[in-house]
Amino acid sequence: MFDIKYSINEMLVSDENTLLGGTKAEFSRDTVLKIEKAHYKNQFIRGSWHFVDEASDLSGYIRRQGYSFGGSKDLIVNGNGNNVWGLTEIVTHKDVIVWQRIYLPKGAFISLEQLDLTMGHEIFHSILNNARLFDVQERTGVNQSVSVHEYFTSRWEEQYIMYRRWEKLNLNMESFNTEISTFKSFDVLKPRIQPIFDNYLKSTLK
């Protein structure tokens, strides 16, 4: 079919010193559905959960982009060798979402809290995609990739962790992505994303 496009959003692992005293999580669909019902009810639409404990659980498209599964942490590994907590695969037709999949590797179930945070991060990507506010990435002067979506997900993560009182768990969350705000693409998307962000924050902080 013409005009079919695939894209990927991911949640990178950025802190090796993480997950102190978290709650044990079973690697199962039931675990995910309980978290979804408790904190993200009716948020993830036109999408499905996919669980990864071997490379074949990743789609052919994702594998062709250099992603694999494994390492010492049972996480998804991207083409740059970085570990990934969760990943959203998006399929669009003429810029309209056909479907989305959120991939959750076995290693993301290291605690209920880290799994919850990963799910919320990826669900927010899916909400922006459903609104046709697809991610824009830019390159800084030192050739670092920065992202409009990640600017907002990092701020949601901070607020969510504080609300749940998980600060002492030292959860793996993104560092603030500030340099993207100097690009024109950010100025274009921010007025459209901000109200969606505000609604998502309000809905999850309860």
Side-chain angles (χ1 to χ4, degrees), residues 48-63:
S48 60
W49 302 104
H50 281 246
F51 304 92
V52 184
D53 62 359
E54 56 184 62
S56 61
D57 293 325
L58 300 171
S59 73
Y61 171 77
I62 290 175
R63 294 196 302 272

Side-chain angles (χ1 to χ4, degrees), residues 61-180:
Y61 171 77
I62 290 175
R63 294 196 302 272
R64 287 193 298 274
Q65 305 313 303
Y67 288 86
S68 60
F69 170 77
S72 61
K73 298 181 181 296
D74 283 339
L75 294 170
I76 298 169
V77 182
N78 69 16
N80 295 320
N82 298 312
N83 287 328
V84 176
W85 287 116
L87 183 153
T88 303
E89 179 183 26
I90 311 102
V91 178
T92 59
H93 177 239
K94 295 183 177 179
D95 289 334
V96 176
I97 293 286
V98 178
W99 52 258
Q100 301 180 97
R101 291 173 178 165
I102 293 180
Y103 292 84
L104 296 172
K106 189 173 183 179
F109 291 70
I110 192 167
S111 76
L112 279 175
E113 293 86 359
Q114 183 65 56
L115 177 62
D116 190 326
L117 190 69
T118 301
M119 288 171 58
H121 176 114
E122 296 303 325
I123 287 171
F124 188 58
H125 279 304
S126 79
I127 290 170
L128 295 182
N129 293 331
N130 278 320
R132 299 192 191 184
L133 298 173
F134 302 111
D135 199 13
V136 174
Q137 296 188 359
E138 303 281 4
R139 286 281 174 182
T140 68
V142 294
N143 203 33
Q144 178 187 4
S145 177
V146 289
S147 153
V148 174
H149 276 206
E150 302 304 337
Y151 174 93
F152 288 96
T153 55
S154 64
R155 281 149 182 79
W156 173 81
E157 288 175 14
E158 181 194 44
Q159 294 295 316
Y160 193 72
I161 286 172
M162 288 192 297
Y163 181 79
R164 299 283 171 218
R165 298 182 179 178
W166 291 345
E167 296 96 329
K168 292 183 180 180
L169 297 179
N170 195 28
L171 290 174
N172 194 154
M173 62 172 285
E174 292 180 314
S175 57
F176 275 163
N177 178 352
T178 56
E179 197 159 354
I180 188 66

Side-chain angles (χ1 to χ4, degrees), residues 2-19:
F2 295 107
D3 296 318
I4 288 286
K5 295 180 181 178
Y6 290 78
S7 58
I8 294 171
N9 299 123
E10 61 182 21
M11 181 179 179
L12 288 172
V13 175
S14 59
D15 179 7
E16 293 299 324
N17 301 311
T18 186
L19 301 166

